[in-house]
Amino acid sequence: GQQVMQIPQYQHVQEGEDFTTYCNSSTTLSNIQWYKQRPGGHPVFLIQLVKSGEVKKQKRLTFQFGEAKKNSSLHITATQTTDVGTYFCAGLSGTYKYIFGTGTRLKVLA
Amino acid sequence: GAGVSQSPSNKVTEKGKDVELRCDPISGHTALYWYRQSLGQGLEFLIYFQGNSAPDKSGLPSDRFSAERTGGSVSTLTIQRTQQEDSAVYLCASSLLIGQYEQYFGPGTRLTVT
């Protein structure tokens, strides 16, 4: 069945350093969504990418969808302590059920 | 406006008992999803509903799990004869329509089976 893998599983960075998480699907995706889950909280939608090669920016966050629509990345520039949490990608392929990635847990050291 | 609400927030039950988890989606949202999240893990799709269409039950882990959505709004997830491996946070999400729409998650129900 469809699988979505994320790397790395964990990332500890010093405040001010950059951070990137990568998402790879075993199948071509129609779209991909990114969510952030703070410790003890529930996932909150960040963005959706639909087009091949699409790049979207939200302040310090840059999201990219691969040309083959099988991979995606989230890059945070100059991390802040408020960026702490787990970042999930979720891909849609063929049906309407979203397959969530395994998540990348980000810790930012002040 | 009101977000997605779930009840109870916490449920402790004995192995073998049945439990019912409730989800109230955002008003006007026709799509509703149930996910399961084990400690420190990702989200596992369980089931989705879209309007009055037949639900996609392909993610339900066993026939002990069932879900219904009455009147296109409130949904209940029922787990019969609970097992310890059912312990997890059960998250509900709703979206305006099925497919390429933002999902709004509820706070979840933490289920502990002793």
Side-chain angles (χ1 to χ4, degrees):
Chain A
Q2 181 192 356
Q3 289 187 321
V4 177
M5 302 300 293
Q6 264 183 271
I7 55 170
Q9 189 176 3
Y10 301 97
Q11 184 82 57
H12 294 182
V13 299
Q14 206 68 34
E15 188 174 22
E17 291 183 338
D18 292 356
F19 159 76
T20 304
T21 172
Y22 300 90
C23 183
N24 295 289
S25 169
S26 58
T27 58
T28 302
L29 302 171
S30 57
N31 67 298
I32 195 158
Q33 296 179 343
W34 284 91
Y35 290 83
K36 176 183 178 181
Q37 185 174 26
R38 294 181 185 273
H42 57 273
V44 175
F45 176 84
L46 293 176
I47 210 155
Q48 174 170 270
L49 304 170
V50 178
K51 299 176 184 175
S52 168
E54 189 170 15
V55 178
K56 286 188 177 180
K57 293 191 176 185
Q58 287 179 350
K59 298 182 181 177
R60 295 179 294 105
L61 278 61
T62 301
F63 303 84
Q64 199 161 7
F65 202 7
E67 293 290 339
K69 300 182 76 173
K70 293 180 76 172
N71 55 68
S72 181
S73 64
L74 157 59
H75 179 83
I76 303 178
T77 304
T79 54
Q80 299 175 358
T81 53
T82 53
D83 295 326
V84 163
T86 301
Y87 293 84
F88 292 99
C89 61
L92 198 59
S93 173
T95 69
Y96 292 122
K97 62 182 183 187
Y98 277 90
I99 304 300
F100 275 73
T102 44
T104 295
R105 189 175 300 176
L106 173 65
K107 196 166 187 175
V108 180
L109 307 172
Chain B
V4 177
S5 61
Q6 291 186 247
S7 61
S9 55
N10 278 285
K11 177 72 177 179
V12 180
T13 190
E14 291 180 352
K15 178 182 170 182
K17 301 278 190 186
D18 297 354
V19 294
E20 266 192 10
L21 313 179
R22 176 187 168 109
C23 172
D24 277 275
I26 292 173
S27 177
H29 280 194
T30 63
L32 187 149
Y33 303 80
W34 282 99
Y35 296 92
R36 178 169 70 175
Q37 186 173 32
S38 301
L39 189 62
Q41 302 298 311
L43 279 70
E44 175 190 3
F45 167 82
L46 297 178
I47 188 170
Y48 75 71
F49 297 87
Q50 166 57 34
N52 295 321
S53 302
D56 181 335
K57 304 179 182 179
S58 59
L60 295 178
S62 78
D63 58 9
R64 295 185 296 104
F65 288 72
S66 63
E68 63 177 19
R69 188 178 185 192
T70 53
S73 181
V74 171
S75 177
T76 54
L77 177 68
T78 301
I79 309 174
Q80 295 179 311
R81 305 181 303 281
T82 51
Q83 304 293 313
Q84 287 186 330
E85 60 262 28
D86 299 334
S87 295
V89 174
Y90 289 81
L91 290 161
C92 171
S94 71
S95 63
L96 189 61
L97 292 169
I98 202 80
Q100 297 180 1
Y101 292 86
E102 171 180 353
Q103 295 177 66
Y104 294 81
F105 281 83
T109 294
R110 181 176 298 278
L111 175 67
T112 304
V113 182
T114 61

